[in-house]
């Protein structure tokens, strides 16, 4: 117990002193997960709109599959990306394995189902009358989707936050496809794993606190945005 | 029925069903440019569906729609272009979760209108509906009546050629209803606009529209001006819907000189009509056209009346409707009379009271039987 307390105070010290390595790792985590979340949102929000508005065969089944993939294990996504991009893999010629790019791709795959599924359910919360009203007022299909996304903005924002949260907190995929290379692909979660294995709890706990603080700051900012 | 010279909307052989349920059947309708047309009918008659089809929100199961002489395709970009020449105010005021200005501006933005033109038009229209200064209020925080005015402004700002209104005052309090009705009649008078308004409120239709169509069970039962419909319903369904409470079955037993005798089995009614003897008909009498006399005073004073019909009857039931009393009487057949509450009290009308019911032959509308559904 005393050891844990000791580790905790040490962690606070690391934070207060703005340890350069800690900052670098945290910054990289934010960049990679921010990028993957942004790219996934750019794809999933319009795509979710299209899936919600158009009737096609197998729609129900597709939504079921999307929802099932909410539970996709991170390490499985890592494995998939690894096999895809390893030197002998079908996309091996890109040579991006063990780079931040591969990590972004892995996280995008990981959070796409979540973003897509939550966007679709956010849009379902907008009444059919609202959609009809927009159509009556002369909105094209694209304009209608944009309006409805705007009507559901709080729920959509919640979907994006969930996606970002899952991206920044995952470790399995980042470890496999990034390789936890110091100064290059090491992010908060992978270093926590490493430091714990090494028995260096101080750094691990400090990084854990940073991760949660980041989450808190992002939430506060987004909440402010929602209230406007 | 006078057909307008140039029609903006024409519907031919229209039919529509939701699954097994037939909503509209074999509907033909032509609306002239600048006409104000009211579609009246009970809830579930298909009014909303018809408006939705005209607004191209739905594709009809059968039949064609023409807009300004142009046949509307079942799919494609042309539908959006045509839809942008109309505007539809839905029954429940649907405002977007945006401020009032953005709500009203959205249709103009979707049409690619310039920013300063939008500001000008929106400002003007908000003033017209009495919502100036509301620009930055979130539309979701408005009352029902205010929200409906936003919806109206949002539609009118587009200067549509055709304005469709679906029960625009159905969920509003009397004061808000009044305001909306005033706005509608102002718009109808001011602009070169065609309006089609669905309502179950007959007086609203009568008050605002030039021509009325009665939609019953998915069919257009009758179209005409208010007088046509309220005084000469074409069939028993229309008669029942417009509140013609006295619809009595009978057969013409005498006919000549424009006067017929309708034999109801329990009495004969004289009416102005020229149907031949033997024709099965309905005799319709508006409740307010029936005069009730008390048996004693009738005998004492021996009043003679020009009314051709006079029946000895017994009051079976009296109900009060505000300043009026609805008196049900039995004179062999059942009749309903509408008298003022004061008269009902003075004549001491109550169940069991013997009365005389009189009405004029000109007050009886005779229609052929079996022209309904």
């Amino acid at each position: 117990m005393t050891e844990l307390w000791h580790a905790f105070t040490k962690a606070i010290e690391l934070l207060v002193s703005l340890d350069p390595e800690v900052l670098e790792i945290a910054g990289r985590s934010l960049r990679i997960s921010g990028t993957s979340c942004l790219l996934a949102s750019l794809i999933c929000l319009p795509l979710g709109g299209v899936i919600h508005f158009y009737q096609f065969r197998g729609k129900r089944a597709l939504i079921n599959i999307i929802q099932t993939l909410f539970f996709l294990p991170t390490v499985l996504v890592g494995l998939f990306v690894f096999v895809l991009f390893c030197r002998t893999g079908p996309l091996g010629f890109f040579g991006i394995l063990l780079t931040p790019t591969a990590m972004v791709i892995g996280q995008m795959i990981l959070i796409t189902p979540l973003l897509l599924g939550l966007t679709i359910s956010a849009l379902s919360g907008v009444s059919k009358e609202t959609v009809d009203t927009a159509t009556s007022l002369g909105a094209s299909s694209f304009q209608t989707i944009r309006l409805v996304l705007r009507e559901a903005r709080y729920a959509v924002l919640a979907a994006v936050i969930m996606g970002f949260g899952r991206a920044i907190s995952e470790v399995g995929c980042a470890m496999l496809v990034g390789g936890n290379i110091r100064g290059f692909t090491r992010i908060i979660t992978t270093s926590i794993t490493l430091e714990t294995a090494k028995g260096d709890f101080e750094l691990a706990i400090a990084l854990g606190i940073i991760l949660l603080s980041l989450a808190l700051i992002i939430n506060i900012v987004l909440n402010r945005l929602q209230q406007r | 029925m006078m057909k307008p010279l140039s029609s903006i909307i024409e519907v031919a052989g229209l039919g529509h069903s939701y699954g097994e349920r037939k909503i509209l059947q074999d509907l033909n309708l032509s609306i002239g440019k600048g006409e104000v047309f009211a579609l009246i009918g009970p809830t579930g008659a298909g009014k909303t569906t018809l408006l939705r089809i005209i607004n191209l929100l739905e594709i009809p199961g059968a039949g064609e729609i023409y807009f300004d002489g142009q046949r509307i395709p079942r799919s494609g970009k042309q539908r959006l272009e045509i839809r942008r020449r109309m505007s539809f105010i839905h029954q429940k005021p649907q405002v977007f979760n945006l401020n009032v200005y953005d709500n009203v501006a959205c249709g103009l933005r979707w049409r690619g209108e310039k920013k300063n033109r939008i500001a000008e038009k929106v400002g003007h229209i908000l003033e017209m509906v009495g919502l100036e200064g509301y620009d930055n209020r979130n539309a979701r925080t408005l009352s029902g009546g205010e929200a409906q005015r936003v919806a109206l402004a949002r539609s009118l700002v587009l200067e549509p050629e055709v304005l469709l209104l679906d029960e625009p005052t159905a969920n509003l309090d009397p004061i808000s209803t009044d305001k909306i009705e005033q706005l509608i009649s102002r718009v109808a008078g001011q602009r070169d606009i065609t309006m089609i308004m669905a309502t179950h409120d007959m007086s609203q239709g009568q008050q605002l529209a030039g021509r009325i169509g009665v939609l019953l069970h998915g069919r257009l039962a009758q179209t005409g001006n208010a007088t046509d419909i309220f005084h000469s319903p074409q069939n028993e369904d229309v008669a029942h819907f417009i509140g013609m409470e006295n619809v009595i079955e009978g057969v013409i037993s005498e006919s000549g000189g424009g006067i017929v005798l309708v034999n109801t089995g329990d009495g004969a009614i004289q009416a102005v009509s020229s149907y031949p003897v033997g024709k099965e008909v309905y005799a319709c009498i508006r409740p307010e056209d029936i005069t009730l006399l008390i048996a004693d005073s009738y005998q004492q004073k021996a009043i003679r009346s020009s009314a051709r019909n006079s029946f000895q009857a017994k009051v079976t039931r009296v109900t009060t409707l505000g300043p009026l009393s609805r008196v049900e009487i039995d004179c062999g057949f059942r009749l309903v009379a509408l008298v003022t509450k004061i008269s009902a009290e003075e004549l001491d009308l109550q169940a069991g009271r013997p009365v005389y019911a009189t009405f004029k032959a000109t007050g009886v509308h005779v229609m052929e039987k079996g022209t309904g559904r």
Side-chain angles (χ1 to χ4, degrees), chain A residues 34-110:
Chain A
T35 309
S36 60
C37 185
L38 182 74
L39 293 178
S41 300
L42 286 178
I43 296 169
C44 293
L45 265 47
L47 189 61
V50 170
I51 294 173
H52 174 70
F53 281 112
Y54 289 90
Q55 298 303 324
F56 51 89
R57 269 183 61 175
K59 179 171 173 169
R60 199 59 251 165
L62 177 68
I63 291 175
N64 264 328
I65 291 169
I66 290 171
Q67 286 174 345
T68 306
L69 292 179
F70 284 8
F71 307 102
L72 203 57
T74 59
V75 69
L76 196 61
V77 175
L79 176 66
F80 175 70
V81 176
F82 191 92
V83 170
L84 216 55
F85 287 100
C86 72
R87 202 162 295 172
T88 52
L91 300 174
F93 57 87
F94 280 117
I96 57 166
L97 199 64
L98 305 182
T99 65
T101 312
M103 293 164 80
V104 168
I105 292 173
Q107 291 188 350
M108 275 174 70
I109 295 173
L110 181 70

Side-chain angles (χ1 to χ4, degrees), chain B residues 233-237 239-240 247-252 262-264 273 275-276 278-284 365-373:
Chain B
Q234 232 161 47
N235 62 44
E236 61 263 42
D237 286 344
H240 279 300
V247 180
I248 302 143
E249 257 184 278
V251 183
I252 306 276
V262 181
N263 191 340
T264 66
S273 168
Y275 281 117
K279 192 91 180 163
E280 292 192 343
V281 295
Y282 286 107
C284 306
H365 169 67
V366 181
M367 63 190 183
E368 200 177 331
K369 197 173 160 186
T371 52
R373 257 181 310 149

Side-chain angles (χ1 to χ4, degrees), chain B residues 313-328:
Chain B
K314 208 169 233 173
V315 174
T316 52
R317 201 171 149 210
V318 182
T319 30
T320 307
L321 307 162
L324 300 177
S325 284
R326 185 175 172 279
V327 186
E328 288 173 42

